[in-house]
Amino acid sequence: MISNKSKALIPAPTGAMKIPLFSELPKPHEPVYLSLIIPTYNESKNILAVVHVLSYLLDEALPNNYELIVIDDDSPDRTWEIAQQLTRDYPYLRVMRRQEERGLSTAVIRGWQVAQGQILGVIDGDLQHPPVVLLKLLEAIAQDADLAVASRHVPGGGTSDWQIHRRFLSRGAQFLGLLILPSVLSRVCDPMSGYFLVRRDAIAQKLMNPLGYKILIEVLKRGEINQIAEVGYVFVERQEGASKVTWRQYLEYLMHLFQLRFS
Ligand SMILES: Nc1nc2c(ncn2[C@@H]2O[C@H](COP(=O)(O)OP(=O)(O)OP(=O)(O)O)[C@@H](O)[C@H]2O)c(=O)[nH]1
Ligand SMILES: [Mg+2]
């Protein structure tokens, strides 16, 4: 059903970062199979394409049974406003504009807190995560994985044109993580991935407290994850907009590792 009115923005949750069980969702809610979070910051040039491609794929794979939730941190380029306007044409799209909190990982948790899906997921809003890989992640979940991770470090995976220093930093960060938090980081080949699906009941009611970018390590440490599947994907170059990665993200990653190590 296509309406000519945009949906209201979703109010941002506050307080403890706990994801409710499916049965605890406020009534009336419309249960769906998949809730996919798209965290955004200044992605005005990408948001239409991301929403369009994902809707196209999911209308086919999970008709009427999914939602896309954009969590935007009050982007100066007004990504949240563009996304809100898109809700007229994309009925399964919902949008949150956060004005108090900041940060990629907390955006994902806040999105999962308002999500109505049994399966929760995350994908970048800049098209660097090929949307079609989502179908393979869904397949892995259907085959009983608790967590399905899109991975650059399994067959079929890779990075397109990363410069040597970026490869070095990414692998170095992974190596450091293995030293500080081996029981978590060794569970997957690509713990740095920001593209994955997880069963709600594996992470519901756990108190989350992520820092920085690497939400997957928070899920692996705090969740009850038994079966894990990894699906290869190639991390493609950004076509539009700019990266938000700075040295701050590396520092936050280090702090996050220690926080999890001593929690
Ligand atoms: N809500 C929210 N989203 C963010 C924040 N920082 C980054 N994002 C989004 O998270 C996704 C990943 O961020 P990027 O800056 O592209 O990071 P990356 O893909 O790891 O690195 P690049 O290859 O350099 O682009 C994008 O959709 C960003 O718009 C943030 O603080 N809040
Ligand atoms: Mg990116």
Side-chain angles (χ1 to χ4, degrees):
M1 186 189 53
I2 295 186
S3 115
N4 54 11
K5 234 176 129 225
S6 311
K7 277 189 212 151
L9 293 166
I10 315 170
T14 53
M17 298 221 180
K18 258 191 202 174
I19 292 139
L21 278 168
F22 211 42
S23 57
E24 294 168 351
L25 288 175
K27 304 278 182 293
H29 73 270
E30 293 170 33
V32 289
Y33 181 70
L34 173 70
S35 297
L36 189 62
I37 305 302
I38 311 170
T40 58
Y41 191 75
N42 283 345
E43 299 293 357
S44 60
K45 292 188 179 147
N46 288 310
I47 194 66
L48 166 61
V50 175
V51 167
H52 182 77
V53 179
L54 288 171
S55 303
Y56 179 82
L57 285 173
L58 290 171
D59 281 342
E60 180 84 26
L62 295 173
N64 304 318
N65 215 359
Y66 74 92
E67 61 181 354
L68 302 175
I69 310 183
V70 169
I71 311 291
D72 186 74
D73 282 0
D74 209 16
S75 296
D77 75 357
R78 300 179 84 82
T79 306
W80 53 273
E81 193 175 46
I82 300 169
Q84 190 184 13
Q85 283 163 5
L86 291 176
T87 61
R88 293 180 198 154
D89 297 330
Y90 297 91
Y92 306 113
L93 173 65
R94 303 166 69 203
V95 181
M96 183 190 296
R97 174 190 183 190
R98 292 199 313 167
Q99 292 178 281
E100 307 295 330
E101 280 173 336
R102 287 283 182 274
L104 173 49
S105 294
T106 62
V108 177
I109 305 274
R110 292 307 189 193
W112 287 341
Q113 284 184 297
V114 301
Q116 310 185 97
Q118 211 176 313
I119 306 301
L120 305 175
V122 56
I123 185 169
D124 281 0
D126 55 9
L127 288 170
Q128 289 186 282
H129 291 156
V132 72
V133 172
L134 189 58
L135 303 180
K136 290 194 185 160
L137 296 175
L138 284 167
E139 234 172 79
I141 292 282
Q143 285 166 15
D144 272 351
D146 297 311
L147 172 71
V149 181
S151 171
R152 292 162 298 180
H153 308 313
V154 297
T159 46
S160 46
D161 283 331
W162 268 15
Q163 291 165 334
I164 189 87
H165 81 276
R166 183 87 197 260
R167 281 176 209 274
F168 177 79
L169 278 174
S170 176
R171 284 304 202 166
Q174 185 171 349
F175 180 70
L176 205 63
L178 276 168
L179 290 179
I180 298 170
L181 208 59
S183 59
V184 170
L185 278 277
S186 65
R187 294 197 69 194
V188 288
C189 299
D190 191 359
M192 304 292 131
S193 176
Y195 187 11
F196 61 89
L197 303 182
V198 61
R199 284 183 196 283
R200 175 189 288 269
D201 44 14
I203 53 170
Q205 291 180 318
K206 312 284 179 203
L207 185 62
M208 305 270 182
N209 187 21
L211 187 61
Y213 257 43
K214 303 303 174 193
I215 180 70
L216 180 57
I217 61 175
E218 183 79 11
V219 164
L220 282 165
K221 167 80 187 194
R222 310 225 191 249
E224 272 172 44
I225 312 283
N226 295 312
Q227 209 170 314
I228 303 179
E230 285 189 78
V231 169
Y233 86 100
V234 176
F235 189 85
V236 295
E237 283 301 296
R238 231 183 211 280
Q239 300 302 316
E240 297 287 351
S243 167
K244 283 94 214 173
V245 180
T246 63
W247 280 102
R248 185 188 166 137
Q249 275 69 42
Y250 289 96
L251 190 66
E252 283 179 343
Y253 168 64
L254 206 59
M255 287 158 66
H256 191 194
L257 286 173
F258 281 110
Q259 192 170 287
L260 291 175
R261 175 78 174 80
F262 298 109
S263 70

